[in-house]
Amino acid sequence: MTERITKDMARNIYFGGGLFAILVFTGLTFDSVHRIPKLSHADKITKSVIAGKKIWEDNDCVGCHTLLGEGAYYAP
Ligand code: HEC
């Protein structure tokens, strides 16, 4: 029986594919980190936003409600 994929070819596919995946992952990670300042709207966080977050956390509102997809789906 003829061998279609040699051990050398399999090794090259393994390491080449692994290196390619690492490069893609690293590139996407840098891209995501680069976008955080724009997506977080950090410039719009006022004192009342901070106070609301404190109320939300201190009273466990997240235990029943959801904000931006985070929290429980028990209450509206
Ligand atoms: C034990 C679970 C629970 C916790 C904790 C909780 N809630 Fe609720 N909340 C509910 C339920 C259930 C309703 C729906 C009541 C109804 O419609 O009769 C509700 C309704 C509301 C509503 C009205 C929503 C609407 O669309 O009418 C607001 C606003 C609200 N909660 C705010 C909060 C805040 C702020 C906190 C934290 C301080 C909090 N809730 C904590 C269960 C909870």
Side-chain angles (χ1 to χ4, degrees), residues 13-62:
I13 291 170
Y14 176 78
F15 285 114
L19 183 67
F20 177 73
I22 287 170
L23 289 176
V24 168
F25 179 77
T26 306
L28 289 174
T29 302
F30 275 110
D31 182 56
S32 296
V33 170
H34 181 73
R35 290 172 191 229
I36 286 174
K38 193 181 167 207
L39 295 176
S40 70
H41 301 289
D43 52 319
K44 293 180 184 150
I45 295 176
T46 61
K47 276 185 180 172
S48 66
V49 171
I50 293 168
K53 184 176 187 289
K54 186 163 170 38
I55 289 174
W56 188 256
E57 289 171 351
D58 289 351
N59 298 285
D60 192 32
C61 309
V62 73

Side-chain angles (χ1 to χ4, degrees), residues 61-66 71-76:
C61 309
V62 73
C64 296
H65 294 281
T66 309
Y73 288 86
Y74 173 69

